[in-house]
Amino acid sequence: WEKFWEVYRRLFAWVGILLLSTVTFLTGGLFASAYSKTTGVATAISYTITALICLVSFAPLVMVGKLSHGFAAKILAINPIAAAMQVTSDGFPEYSNLWIHNLYTLIGITVFFLALSTARVWYLFHKQD
């Protein structure tokens, strides 16, 4: 039973990372749409946000030795791919609980995007008065 529960714990953690990543990317798109005048610009900003979260946050792997371990862990905590790799295949053992830090980071980013989007929409609707 122990192996059974371990497999399902990992599966639920992976699904949580996947769903939270999706919500983060959606709120990033909402943020981009709230502040952009055209759909094309909003799309470009949204893709840039996604690339920063998924690709640029892998920078500590390329810059090994140039960043402190703590700073590298903070940057990798943004990356949902690294978190999913740690949950599913015990990747990144040198960064303990990376996937938990990723969940907290993605929640923070989501709340940030949602707050800024809400403020912008509130401003636009009250500006019409």
Side-chain angles (χ1 to χ4, degrees), residues 17 21 53-55 58 78-86 88 92 102:
I17 292 167
S21 299
I53 290 173
C54 289
L55 299 176
F58 268 130
I78 298 169
N79 195 307
I81 300 167
M85 288 171 62
Q86 187 177 53
T88 57
F92 303 102
N102 176 260

Side-chain angles (χ1 to χ4, degrees), residues 35-101:
Y35 285 91
S36 301
K37 294 190 183 285
T38 64
T39 304
V41 172
T43 303
I45 292 170
S46 182
Y47 283 145
T48 302
I49 290 169
T50 303
L52 287 171
I53 290 173
C54 289
L55 299 176
V56 176
S57 60
F58 268 130
L61 301 179
V62 177
M63 302 175 70
V64 174
K66 295 181 181 171
L67 300 174
S68 70
H69 182 74
F71 187 61
K74 286 181 183 7
I75 294 173
L76 273 175
I78 298 169
N79 195 307
I81 300 167
M85 288 171 62
Q86 187 177 53
V87 165
T88 57
S89 63
D90 296 325
F92 303 102
E94 63 274 14
Y95 301 104
S96 64
N97 296 323
L98 176 67
W99 69 276
I100 294 172
H101 296 295

Side-chain angles (χ1 to χ4, degrees), residues 10-32:
R10 287 176 183 252
L11 178 66
F12 286 127
W14 180 81
V15 169
I17 292 167
L18 180 66
L19 291 175
L20 191 55
S21 299
T22 303
V23 170
T24 302
F25 299 146
L26 288 173
T27 57
L30 180 67
F31 164 78

